[in-house]
Amino acid sequence: MTEGTVDFTLGNETHQTWYKIVGDLKTSKSGCPLVVLHGGPGATHQYLVSIADLSTKYGIPVVFYDQLGNGNSTHLREKPKEFWTPQLFMDELENLVAKLGIAEKYDLLGHSWGGMLGSQFAATRRPKGLRRLILSGSPASMELWEETGKEYAKGLPPDVQAALKKHEDAGTTDDQEYKDAINVFYAKHLCRVQPMPEDVVESFKIMDEDPTVYMTMNGPSEFHITGSLRTWTVIPELHNIQVPTFLINGRYDGASDKAVLPFFKHIPHVKWYTLAESSHMGPWEEREKFMELVSEFLLW
């Protein structure tokens, strides 16, 4: 296991992107390392550390990193909202794979927002070194994600629905009552392993300490989107993804079938699997099955 940082220069400023490598980048049964893009935007790598199983069990080196503004990477609370864009994070990803010396050949696994980022990266940058792409729990547009979230919210107990509506209408989404109501939603549609794994809890705790990126790009919850990503879609560009792509979502996932379907319809070389007992955290909820599926795709 190796940890470190790479410089990420923007104009006259240089920031640091923190990374962790599990396994040996020079030795991979798949022929290249797997780079993992965490979600949020504004979460951290911790909630996805179970994916290290791909290294320890299947011989595929895994690169985790904290995206700029989050976790162990440089925090930039003072930046205006215009600073935080998908283009920024695509630039950071390009910089990371170049600095790690893997730009000529690598795979990507993006979870949630990470899959949104990965799909846009593959479709618009068309990196020559990208071999295969995995999109886990990721929607093709935020409109479809928000629609699903609102549909799921209607299935919550009436008092929980009332608390959500009260605070969203009043703009008091930082109130503890609202957070408690959100946790009821999360237990059904974020992670059905209860209590949640410590690494998942830790990641969200870190994000809560500096919610700059999440609040700017997303908003106060997974179904009340007020941030800059509200109108995000990659659907018009999906036909440009030429690498083999694997879609994974869960039966109870915020990335519902209708939110994932455009990927399946428009990416030329694609396969799709839905985990029967999972919501949004397949790498924990059905850990063994998730790793089997991903390893088969990468080693195929």
Side-chain angles (χ1 to χ4, degrees):
M1 187 179 298
T2 305
E3 297 183 17
T5 61
V6 299
D7 287 346
F8 177 36
T9 300
L10 298 168
N12 59 358
E13 299 179 345
T14 297
H15 309 298
Q16 278 70 49
T17 300
W18 177 92
Y19 66 86
K20 176 194 288 185
I21 301 169
V22 182
D24 184 351
L25 290 180
K26 298 179 181 179
T27 305
S28 175
K29 289 186 178 180
S30 67
C32 63
L34 175 69
V35 180
V36 177
L37 313 179
H38 66 69
T44 61
H45 78 284
Q46 280 94 339
Y47 83 91
L48 291 174
V49 295
S50 60
I51 294 174
D53 289 355
L54 293 172
S55 177
T56 56
K57 293 185 177 181
Y58 297 97
I60 301 167
V62 178
V63 179
F64 297 100
Y65 75 103
D66 286 340
Q67 295 161 23
L68 190 67
N70 310 303
N72 296 312
S73 294
T74 304
H75 287 241
L76 296 164
R77 295 173 176 85
E78 74 285 357
K79 292 295 184 181
K81 63 181 181 180
E82 295 79 14
F83 177 81
W84 303 105
T85 65
Q87 287 69 32
L88 168 72
F89 293 108
M90 288 192 285
D91 290 344
E92 182 185 31
L93 176 56
E94 281 186 340
N95 180 72
L96 177 70
V97 297
K99 294 284 178 65
L100 293 180
I102 61 174
E104 292 186 359
K105 192 176 184 182
Y106 60 95
D107 297 324
L108 283 180
L109 187 158
H111 177 262
S112 195
W113 146 253
M116 295 161 60
L117 173 62
S119 63
Q120 188 171 355
F121 181 72
T124 61
R125 302 286 174 99
R126 304 185 205 181
K128 293 182 179 180
L130 179 60
R131 189 186 72 117
R132 291 186 181 172
L133 175 67
I134 301 163
L135 306 177
S136 174
S138 301
S141 80
M142 283 300 274
E143 180 181 6
L144 293 171
W145 174 268
E146 189 172 23
E147 282 180 10
T148 298
K150 289 180 176 178
E151 289 170 5
Y152 286 160
K154 292 177 182 177
L156 297 174
D159 60 324
V160 176
Q161 292 188 53
L164 292 171
K165 186 176 189 307
K166 179 178 74 173
H167 291 290
E168 287 170 0
D169 289 348
T172 53
T173 53
D174 57 348
D175 189 276
Q176 188 59 47
E177 184 183 33
Y178 184 79
K179 294 177 181 179
D180 291 342
I182 288 294
N183 286 334
V184 176
F185 176 89
Y186 283 170
K188 292 178 176 289
H189 301 294
L190 179 75
C191 183
R192 296 170 76 87
V193 176
Q194 296 295 321
M196 287 189 187
E198 291 182 7
D199 291 308
V200 176
V201 174
E202 177 67 13
S203 186
F204 284 92
K205 177 183 176 183
I206 294 169
M207 185 170 69
D208 285 345
E209 291 171 355
D210 182 3
T212 303
V213 181
Y214 185 73
M215 291 300 295
T216 300
M217 298 183 73
N218 186 86
S221 76
E222 301 301 306
F223 49 85
H224 186 52
I225 313 298
T226 59
S228 59
L229 287 177
R230 185 170 188 178
T231 59
W232 181 91
T233 180
V234 73
I235 296 173
E237 289 83 33
L238 289 176
H239 65 281
N240 292 320
I241 298 179
Q242 297 301 314
V243 297
T245 302
F246 184 33
L247 312 173
I248 313 176
N249 69 332
R251 179 182 175 186
Y252 309 101
D253 203 335
S256 63
D257 287 355
K258 74 173 183 179
V260 173
L261 184 60
F263 289 130
F264 191 71
K265 290 176 64 176
H266 299 295
I267 297 175
H269 310 288
V270 64
K271 60 186 295 186
W272 181 3
Y273 191 95
T274 298
L275 295 166
E277 303 303 325
S278 293
S279 58
H280 198 47
M281 294 285 182
W284 291 103
E285 293 163 307
E286 292 181 72
R287 182 171 178 170
E288 186 174 348
K289 183 65 175 179
F290 184 94
M291 304 309 162
E292 287 177 357
L293 291 166
V294 171
S295 64
E296 287 174 4
F297 176 70
L298 294 177
L299 295 172
W300 163 66

